[in-house]
Structures are given as C-alpha cells and as structure tokens.
Amino acid sequence: EEGDLLAALRETLSQASPGARPAILVEATGTARRLPAAIESGLLRIATEAVTNAVKHAQAGEVRVELAYSSGEVRLTVRDDGCGFDASAA
C-alpha cells in the first residue's frame, strides 16, 4: 500500500527462492505510475504464482519478471529458462 508495484514485486519475489537458484530478476521499462489497487494486487498475485511455479517445477536457473509501462497500458511478463512440460501429456 505504501510502495509502488515494482518495489512490492521485488520484495515479495525475493522470498520465492530462498537459495541462490533460480536467480529472480525484476525490472521495469517505461514510466512507472500507480495503478488502481485491485490491478496492482492482481498483478502481484499473478507474478508470485508464476515465479513460484518456475521455482517449484521448472528447474529454472533464472526467472525474469518485467513490468512494461506504456501509454494506456501496463504489461507483466514472466519468463524462465526452465525445462517446461509436455502439454499433450497434461
């Protein structure tokens, strides 16, 4: 509530991987701005779940989280270098 979304992501996601692996990198592009609380909360929850899944299941060495601010929108991207899974077997 007191900080911005980028700071909240960094703080929350730093706890997602208690060891050194995977490395979790959080960055923003564009001009950051405050969003409605419900949107910021939703983006934080989505990022947390995606990173948690990468840490637990993907055997990732690195997870990148990016907030991209542009005119009229914000985009959250979470990428990892993990092993993935066979979607046809799921």
Side-chain angles (χ1 to χ4, degrees):
E1 291 180 0
E2 295 176 18
D4 63 9
L5 180 56
L6 184 61
L9 281 168
R10 286 185 172 141
E11 174 66 26
T12 301
L13 298 179
S14 70
Q15 300 169 26
S17 178
R21 300 293 279 175
I24 300 173
L25 308 169
V26 182
E27 56 189 22
T29 59
T31 303
R33 62 187 177 280
R34 291 305 305 251
L35 303 168
I39 293 174
E40 287 188 347
S41 177
L43 290 171
L44 181 61
R45 289 172 186 249
I46 290 166
T48 301
E49 184 65 21
V51 170
T52 299
N53 285 340
V55 169
K56 285 184 177 180
H57 305 295
Q59 301 170 347
E62 181 178 278
V63 181
R64 291 186 168 270
V65 179
E66 180 185 358
L67 278 175
Y69 292 92
S70 61
S71 178
E73 70 178 26
V74 63
R75 182 179 57 246
L76 170 70
T77 305
V78 180
R79 291 189 172 100
D80 67 73
D81 63 356
C83 61
F85 64 93
D86 182 0
S88 64

